Every structure is written in structure tokens, then in C-alpha cells.
Amino acid sequence: RPSLAYQRRGNLELAKLGLRGVTVLAASGDTGVQGAAQQGGSPPRCRPFAAVWPASSPYITTVGATMVSNHMSDVCNIDRIYAMGSNSSMPFACPETNVGEIVCSTQTGSMITSGGGFSQRFPRPQYQEDAVAEYLSQVDVNRSLFNSTGRGYPDLSATGANVPIIFQGRLTMVGG
């Protein structure tokens, strides 16, 4: 990960952009907070979990990924999906229940696991206090694995994976 000096300088430049009215968006990542959640990836090794930068910067609007989970959909009747424009495929399964929009995760049929977490280096901004306090009061998590007082991310989410399209006559899932 980048040095603290690099991140502080980057944050200074991002803050300057904010003062000029520029909003900077960054993806939260495709491998979960610890970076090992890709399909077939190794178990998490980071303790505590390692937040990524610039996504964990308080001067960025970080965007996570969701997907639509609808077991009633025709797409749930296939067992393999293909990467865009290739013959590379991987197993596919919809979640067991019809739960609507959910976070992208390889555990629920996505090709990626959306990133997110809490910064080890930057404190939680005041504008996150109420939402994060409510979230932390509702989940049972091992708080020794993350900095529960750090800047939380993502700030918002959008559909980012498992969007079915027909490409060259074959059902293909896209995202991004």
C-alpha cells in the first residue's frame, strides 16, 4: 500500500479539488477489503483487514458494487458464465433466495467481491457518524479485525456485476 506521506499528499490534492467543486469518484475494489475474495482466492491473511487507498480517503466518494439477485430469473437456469469477448468461463449459481439487490460477492454468484471497510489511517468524518454508529450497532462483528473509528467506505453503491447481456449469441455477464 502507498506510504502514509503519499496518502497525506494525495488527500491534500483531493481536498483542493473538492474546494474547487470537483467530485472525485473511486471504485471500492473488486476483491473485498482484505484483497483475497476473488473466485478461487486464498483465505484472508490481513489482520486487521487492510483498507485500500484512495477508496479509504475522506476526500473521495467511493462507489461499491451491487448486483440483482433474483432466483426467479432465467439467468439462474445456467451453470456457467463467460467473460466478455472470450471463451473463458466459470461456474455460476444464483443465491438460494430471491433477495433483490445485494452486495457483489463471489459467495453469492458474482465474479467479484465489492470492496469496503474502515481506514486504518484516517478518522471517520463527522458526516458518517450517525450512519456508521447505527450500522455497527446492528451487526455482530469481531472489531479487532478493523478500525471501527476509521473512515468507512463505500459511500454509495451501484449495479456493478452480473448484468446479463447476449453477446455473439451467448448469455454473458458484464459489470464494471
Side-chain angles (χ1 to χ4, degrees):
R1 80 180 171 179
S3 71
L4 179 57
Y6 181 88
Q7 290 182 10
R8 283 183 175 156
R9 178 56 193 248
N11 282 346
L12 177 63
E13 300 306 319
L14 292 165
K16 288 178 188 178
L17 286 169
L19 289 171
R20 295 179 58 104
V22 175
T23 299
V24 180
L25 303 177
S28 65
D30 291 346
T31 57
V33 69
Q34 72 278 2
Q38 289 282 48
Q39 185 76 20
S42 61
R45 294 185 185 155
C46 299
R47 294 187 192 269
F49 293 145
V52 297
W53 191 88
S56 61
S57 168
Y59 302 100
I60 288 275
T61 299
T62 305
V63 184
T66 62
M67 64 184 202
V68 176
S69 166
N70 183 343
H71 203 69
M72 305 298 282
S73 173
D74 288 341
V75 76
C76 291
N77 296 326
I78 63 170
D79 61 353
R80 297 195 73 74
I81 58 172
Y82 293 84
M84 183 71 174
S86 76
N87 286 321
S88 174
S89 69
M90 65 179 276
F92 175 78
C94 285
E96 292 299 318
T97 58
N98 180 2
V99 293
E101 187 176 18
I102 59 175
V103 68
C104 286
S105 173
T106 57
Q107 294 179 344
T108 55
S110 177
M111 294 180 84
I112 62 129
T113 295
S114 186
F118 295 87
S119 174
Q120 293 292 339
R121 293 184 167 172
F122 305 111
R124 182 180 317 134
Q126 190 280 326
Y127 63 85
Q128 288 189 338
E129 287 295 334
D130 292 343
V132 173
E134 181 180 347
Y135 168 75
L136 291 173
S137 74
Q138 295 177 11
V139 295
D140 181 26
V141 294
N142 180 351
R143 294 197 185 183
S144 70
L145 295 176
F146 64 96
N147 177 13
S148 64
T149 63
R151 183 266 202 266
Y153 72 96
D155 298 295
L156 57 98
S157 295
T159 304
N162 291 7
V163 179
I165 66 165
I166 301 296
F167 180 74
Q168 295 179 342
R170 187 184 311 173
L171 181 63
T172 302
M173 301 301 236
V174 297

